[in-house]
Amino acid sequence: MTHLEAAARIAQLTKEINHHNHLYYQESRIEISDFEFDRLLEELVKLEREFPDLLKSDSPSQRVGGTITKEFQTVEHEYRMLSLGNTYTIEELRAFDERVVKGLGRSDYEYFCEMKFDGVAISLVYENGQLVRAVTRGDGNKGDDVTANVKTIRNIPLSIKAANVPTKFEVRGEIFLPIKEFEKINAEKEAKGEAPMANPRNAASGTLKMQDSSVVAKRRLNCYFYQLLGENIGVTKHDEAIHLIESWGFNVSPTYKKATTIDEVLDYIEDWREKRYLLPLDTDGVVLKINDYDQREELGFTAKTPRWAIAYKYKAESAETELLSITYQVGRTGAITPVANLAPVQLAGTTVKRASLHNANEIERLDIHERDFVYVEKGGEIIPKITAVNPVRRKAGAPPIHYITTCPECGTGLVRKEGEAKHYCPNAVGCPPQVLGRIEHFVSKRAMDIDSLGTERIRALIDQGFISSYADIYDLDNKQQELLGLEMSQDQYEREVSGLLYISLEKALFALTEGISYKQIQDFLLENNHLPLRDRLRAFQVQIRSWKKKVPANVGMVDFLLQNLDSHQDLMKVEDYVPVAVVLEIFLGRRVEFDRILEASKKHGTVHTILLDLQLTLPDEINERIKKLKANTFQEGVISNMMEGIFKSKEQHFEKVLFAIGIRNIGENTAVLLAKHFGSIEKLQEATTEELLEINGVGETLVHSIREFFAQPENLEHIARLKAQGLKFEMEERELTQLGNALAGKRILASGKLQNFKRDEIVDFVQAHGGQYISSVSKNLDFIIEGEEMGPSKKEKAQKLGVPLISEEEFLRLVNGYEKT
Ligand SMILES: NC(=O)c1ccc[n+]([C@@H]2O[C@H](COP(=O)([O-])OP(=O)(O)OC[C@H]3O[C@@H](n4cnc5c(N)ncnc54)[C@H](O)[C@@H]3O)[C@@H](O)[C@H]2O)c1
Ligand SMILES: [Zn+2]
């Protein structure tokens, strides 16, 4: 490589690495795996070594990757927080060991092996036994002061009472989100239709940088400690330090081990290669450190890493498998997510059947064709990822995958907003998962608060055609009769391509027989599932005889089923299922022609709705039998409970209704602001852009959302219907004091001139959001809002007392940010 080529490549690598560092540390996101990232960095280091004159002091090879964010106070570290050199190969580990021998001039040293925890580095400073500061690694020299957030982590000791505690010391460790917790949060996010978080590490770093500690407290972050620093701390070896901090109450992972040779280190690495998946957190390797502090000092440091420690990183496991198909999921906000269905393959201790594909760009980038063999990898992410296609195994003539252009749920043409990678279904009012999302929001606690309408019930009502918008909820009152017996779940049904509805064989046999439990039938069918359908039914008759359960009646009913199946042979297409029409014919055959039953079973999704369509009056005995075909059904208690909740919700105040109708970007607090300001939905609808922008916290985006909402005729129709039902679309005469809880428990003072508030307005505003306004500077304050021309003496006092100052803008973001979470 020529000097010129090297210079160009170095510039390119620098740009790329800086980009990934920014994503990783600033935005808690990744676009490439750690392995790919480390390869880029390695290439850069190699080039810089070859062409030393091209090494710049601000090269990413010379700096610790993180940076400082402006939302937090910046604090200088007393001892620099460094990176670790890392390697993915055993050879390089041995080379490291040889360098240690050379550096020390002898080989009587010990290694201390620890797992490399994949979280966020943190430094805690204690003075006189009290936690005084928690700071992120930042750029290694300076970091963000995140003390308030760290204090919410339960197993971090706020004060330490022990005899041997030095007056001042620092401990370092890794903050992480336990995998279980991560999965729980993601499940909740998914249920709300929000984008899930990519992996526990990103989730932990994102959480740690939140502005509102009360939200941080709800996420159960945890921490493992692995370093003690300070003057006169009374230990000379790392293992002693670990035991000491453990005795002071710091959480230490019990996975550490001492080793006297590099071979013992390699054993440790092998030992944990698979076992690490059983740990409660993600780990990405092993760190080995020289145990003795004097020896560490002898070895010293490079610009960004110690020479006495190194990380061995496990390379993400990869496996090859066949792509079977791609499913396109529609989220509750209309976002489309493609998911690859794979031939099952073993990977990192689990069986993988699905992998995420993110978006259309990703499919294009990978150049996936139908039925390709693909490589899947489990990196930092919980859901495995397709990393590449194996072109050698591509089937001749396999067409490339074309991204869908219409919504798989409702058929509407998909759109893609500028600058966004995802496609969306724009049919917010008619697309079933979006309708579900909107109705869930409408009935939620902080909106109309109808808790008797849970997700499963809403889904049942939508699927069976009883509601298709939130306005329909208030018409259910007139349909109570039809709701009786509505099926909650439709798991026992299957629909065949022609549209015909099938029901599971066990449900059918359960309804046709008497005195035999559902469990007995299931067990019998499972044991005999090697037999073809007709033989299985005959065997079942033999079984009924040996059970001696109502033999003539039960055997006779199974005979009916066999006969009916014979006469409708053309309908039998789904394994382990029988056509609903064929079963119903046995019960209803004398009352209605088969063709009508058949037609109805093509139109409807449940036995309940088929029967409503047929409009028959049936004797109780038959009704009881048919009921056994259904899954959980709506009973009178459930219905009256639902109706009561719906009726009561009409009392909800205007601001709740305004929040409930789901205008994009209107959160709970904004709804209150708008309701208070305009007083009625008409006034809001008529408001000019200028009038809207005058309100604190209303920006262009919100104005656009409001316009968009009122431009849709369906929304206007829904509002008209809700109004007719008596919902409140205007403010009542009453004192409005409580706006929200964003500042709950916070003690706040504002100083200097504020842009958005007059003196008494800010007091009201703080109180209305649950905070307490304090009139003088004291150490009890959580923070001070720093206005223009804040008095210097006040400022000095605040800084002395360690009370954080935040700008007015940050303060507003705090209140509004809370609203959005
Ligand atoms: N995929 C991407 O886009 C991307 C971007 C930037 C960085 N990265 C990855 O992140 C890593 C970041 O590098 P880095 O400079 O933060 O160093 P590092 O994470 O490789 O190593 C240093 C850090 O390890 C942590 N650590 C965990 N367990 C430890 C233990 N037992 N003892 C000591 N430290 C322990 C500490 O937080 C320490 O700060 C790189 O290896 C790279 O793979 C990836
Ligand atoms: Zn759709």
PDB file of all heavy atoms in Angstrom, residues 352-365:
ATOM      1  N   VAL A 352     -33.024 -21.884  16.974  1.00  0.00           N
ATOM      2  CA  VAL A 352     -33.456 -20.661  16.319  1.00  0.00           C
ATOM      3  C   VAL A 352     -34.364 -20.999  15.150  1.00  0.00           C
ATOM      4  O   VAL A 352     -34.030 -21.846  14.324  1.00  0.00           O
ATOM      5  CB  VAL A 352     -32.221 -19.876  15.825  1.00  0.00           C
ATOM      6  CG1 VAL A 352     -32.632 -18.732  14.929  1.00  0.00           C
ATOM      7  CG2 VAL A 352     -31.429 -19.370  17.007  1.00  0.00           C
ATOM      8  N   LYS A 353     -35.537 -20.344  15.119  1.00  0.00           N
ATOM      9  CA  LYS A 353     -36.478 -20.577  14.024  1.00  0.00           C
ATOM     10  C   LYS A 353     -36.837 -19.292  13.301  1.00  0.00           C
ATOM     11  O   LYS A 353     -37.419 -19.312  12.228  1.00  0.00           O
ATOM     12  CB  LYS A 353     -37.782 -21.172  14.574  1.00  0.00           C
ATOM     13  CG  LYS A 353     -37.667 -22.597  15.024  1.00  0.00           C
ATOM     14  CD  LYS A 353     -39.038 -23.108  15.429  1.00  0.00           C
ATOM     15  CE  LYS A 353     -38.897 -23.999  16.646  1.00  0.00           C
ATOM     16  NZ  LYS A 353     -40.059 -24.026  17.498  1.00  0.00           N
ATOM     17  N   ARG A 354     -36.546 -18.183  13.973  1.00  0.00           N
ATOM     18  CA  ARG A 354     -36.901 -16.897  13.379  1.00  0.00           C
ATOM     19  C   ARG A 354     -35.756 -15.903  13.536  1.00  0.00           C
ATOM     20  O   ARG A 354     -34.982 -15.999  14.473  1.00  0.00           O
ATOM     21  CB  ARG A 354     -38.143 -16.329  14.065  1.00  0.00           C
ATOM     22  CG  ARG A 354     -39.426 -16.950  13.537  1.00  0.00           C
ATOM     23  CD  ARG A 354     -40.502 -17.058  14.586  1.00  0.00           C
ATOM     24  NE  ARG A 354     -40.747 -15.850  15.327  1.00  0.00           N
ATOM     25  CZ  ARG A 354     -41.703 -14.991  15.057  1.00  0.00           C
ATOM     26  NH1 ARG A 354     -42.499 -15.178  14.031  1.00  0.00           N
ATOM     27  NH2 ARG A 354     -41.875 -13.935  15.797  1.00  0.00           N
ATOM     28  N   ALA A 355     -35.660 -14.980  12.613  1.00  0.00           N
ATOM     29  CA  ALA A 355     -34.642 -13.947  12.735  1.00  0.00           C
ATOM     30  C   ALA A 355     -35.247 -12.645  12.242  1.00  0.00           C
ATOM     31  O   ALA A 355     -36.106 -12.643  11.361  1.00  0.00           O
ATOM     32  CB  ALA A 355     -33.418 -14.308  11.908  1.00  0.00           C
ATOM     33  N   SER A 356     -34.783 -11.544  12.834  1.00  0.00           N
ATOM     34  CA  SER A 356     -35.361 -10.273  12.403  1.00  0.00           C
ATOM     35  C   SER A 356     -34.644  -9.784  11.159  1.00  0.00           C
ATOM     36  O   SER A 356     -33.468 -10.053  10.951  1.00  0.00           O
ATOM     37  CB  SER A 356     -35.262  -9.235  13.516  1.00  0.00           C
ATOM     38  OG  SER A 356     -33.912  -9.011  13.813  1.00  0.00           O
ATOM     39  N   LEU A 357     -35.381  -9.083  10.320  1.00  0.00           N
ATOM     40  CA  LEU A 357     -34.796  -8.535   9.098  1.00  0.00           C
ATOM     41  C   LEU A 357     -34.872  -7.013   9.070  1.00  0.00           C
ATOM     42  O   LEU A 357     -34.470  -6.380   8.105  1.00  0.00           O
ATOM     43  CB  LEU A 357     -35.513  -9.117   7.881  1.00  0.00           C
ATOM     44  CG  LEU A 357     -35.007 -10.498   7.450  1.00  0.00           C
ATOM     45  CD1 LEU A 357     -35.958 -11.134   6.467  1.00  0.00           C
ATOM     46  CD2 LEU A 357     -33.627 -10.392   6.828  1.00  0.00           C
ATOM     47  N   HIS A 358     -35.442  -6.434  10.138  1.00  0.00           N
ATOM     48  CA  HIS A 358     -35.516  -4.975  10.310  1.00  0.00           C
ATOM     49  C   HIS A 358     -36.391  -4.252   9.286  1.00  0.00           C
ATOM     50  O   HIS A 358     -37.447  -3.749   9.622  1.00  0.00           O
ATOM     51  CB  HIS A 358     -34.131  -4.342  10.345  1.00  0.00           C
ATOM     52  CG  HIS A 358     -33.256  -4.958  11.391  1.00  0.00           C
ATOM     53  ND1 HIS A 358     -33.559  -4.856  12.720  1.00  0.00           N
ATOM     54  CD2 HIS A 358     -32.129  -5.693  11.297  1.00  0.00           C
ATOM     55  CE1 HIS A 358     -32.638  -5.509  13.417  1.00  0.00           C
ATOM     56  NE2 HIS A 358     -31.774  -6.031  12.575  1.00  0.00           N
ATOM     57  N   ASN A 359     -35.954  -4.170   8.028  1.00  0.00           N
ATOM     58  CA  ASN A 359     -36.711  -3.369   7.066  1.00  0.00           C
ATOM     59  C   ASN A 359     -36.307  -3.724   5.637  1.00  0.00           C
ATOM     60  O   ASN A 359     -35.463  -4.586   5.415  1.00  0.00           O
ATOM     61  CB  ASN A 359     -36.484  -1.874   7.330  1.00  0.00           C
ATOM     62  CG  ASN A 359     -35.000  -1.548   7.388  1.00  0.00           C
ATOM     63  OD1 ASN A 359     -34.248  -1.961   6.505  1.00  0.00           O
ATOM     64  ND2 ASN A 359     -34.579  -0.846   8.422  1.00  0.00           N
ATOM     65  N   ALA A 360     -36.887  -3.015   4.691  1.00  0.00           N
ATOM     66  CA  ALA A 360     -36.646  -3.318   3.280  1.00  0.00           C
ATOM     67  C   ALA A 360     -35.186  -3.126   2.888  1.00  0.00           C
ATOM     68  O   ALA A 360     -34.644  -3.896   2.106  1.00  0.00           O
ATOM     69  CB  ALA A 360     -37.540  -2.433   2.412  1.00  0.00           C
ATOM     70  N   ASN A 361     -34.550  -2.104   3.458  1.00  0.00           N
ATOM     71  CA  ASN A 361     -33.134  -1.857   3.131  1.00  0.00           C
ATOM     72  C   ASN A 361     -32.270  -3.057   3.453  1.00  0.00           C
ATOM     73  O   ASN A 361     -31.345  -3.401   2.730  1.00  0.00           O
ATOM     74  CB  ASN A 361     -32.585  -0.681   3.946  1.00  0.00           C
ATOM     75  CG  ASN A 361     -33.272   0.598   3.586  1.00  0.00           C
ATOM     76  OD1 ASN A 361     -33.999   0.655   2.599  1.00  0.00           O
ATOM     77  ND2 ASN A 361     -33.079   1.621   4.397  1.00  0.00           N
ATOM     78  N   GLU A 362     -32.582  -3.658   4.602  1.00  0.00           N
ATOM     79  CA  GLU A 362     -31.799  -4.788   5.072  1.00  0.00           C
ATOM     80  C   GLU A 362     -31.930  -5.964   4.098  1.00  0.00           C
ATOM     81  O   GLU A 362     -30.952  -6.624   3.762  1.00  0.00           O
ATOM     82  CB  GLU A 362     -32.301  -5.168   6.471  1.00  0.00           C
ATOM     83  CG  GLU A 362     -31.547  -6.275   7.144  1.00  0.00           C
ATOM     84  CD  GLU A 362     -30.155  -5.872   7.605  1.00  0.00           C
ATOM     85  OE1 GLU A 362     -29.782  -4.702   7.410  1.00  0.00           O
ATOM     86  OE2 GLU A 362     -29.441  -6.743   8.121  1.00  0.00           O
ATOM     87  N   ILE A 363     -33.146  -6.203   3.626  1.00  0.00           N
ATOM     88  CA  ILE A 363     -33.382  -7.305   2.688  1.00  0.00           C
ATOM     89  C   ILE A 363     -32.628  -7.043   1.385  1.00  0.00           C
ATOM     90  O   ILE A 363     -32.014  -7.940   0.811  1.00  0.00           O
ATOM     91  CB  ILE A 363     -34.889  -7.469   2.439  1.00  0.00           C
ATOM     92  CG1 ILE A 363     -35.550  -7.954   3.729  1.00  0.00           C
ATOM     93  CG2 ILE A 363     -35.167  -8.419   1.283  1.00  0.00           C
ATOM     94  CD1 ILE A 363     -37.047  -8.075   3.669  1.00  0.00           C
ATOM     95  N   GLU A 364     -32.636  -5.798   0.984  1.00  0.00           N
ATOM     96  CA  GLU A 364     -31.939  -5.428  -0.237  1.00  0.00           C
ATOM     97  C   GLU A 364     -30.421  -5.543  -0.057  1.00  0.00           C
ATOM     98  O   GLU A 364     -29.716  -6.090  -0.896  1.00  0.00           O
ATOM     99  CB  GLU A 364     -32.308  -3.992  -0.588  1.00  0.00           C
ATOM    100  CG  GLU A 364     -32.134  -3.662  -2.048  1.00  0.00           C
ATOM    101  CD  GLU A 364     -32.749  -2.302  -2.322  1.00  0.00           C
ATOM    102  OE1 GLU A 364     -33.960  -2.145  -2.051  1.00  0.00           O
ATOM    103  OE2 GLU A 364     -32.006  -1.417  -2.754  1.00  0.00           O
ATOM    104  N   ARG A 365     -29.952  -5.065   1.082  1.00  0.00           N
ATOM    105  CA  ARG A 365     -28.515  -5.096   1.364  1.00  0.00           C
ATOM    106  C   ARG A 365     -27.993  -6.532   1.349  1.00  0.00           C
ATOM    107  O   ARG A 365     -26.924  -6.826   0.807  1.00  0.00           O
ATOM    108  CB  ARG A 365     -28.250  -4.472   2.740  1.00  0.00           C
ATOM    109  CG  ARG A 365     -26.785  -4.333   3.106  1.00  0.00           C
ATOM    110  CD  ARG A 365     -26.618  -3.694   4.488  1.00  0.00           C
ATOM    111  NE  ARG A 365     -26.947  -4.628   5.564  1.00  0.00           N
ATOM    112  CZ  ARG A 365     -26.106  -5.551   6.023  1.00  0.00           C
ATOM    113  NH1 ARG A 365     -24.909  -5.672   5.508  1.00  0.00           N
ATOM    114  NH2 ARG A 365     -26.466  -6.361   7.001  1.00  0.00           N
TER     115      ARG A 365
END
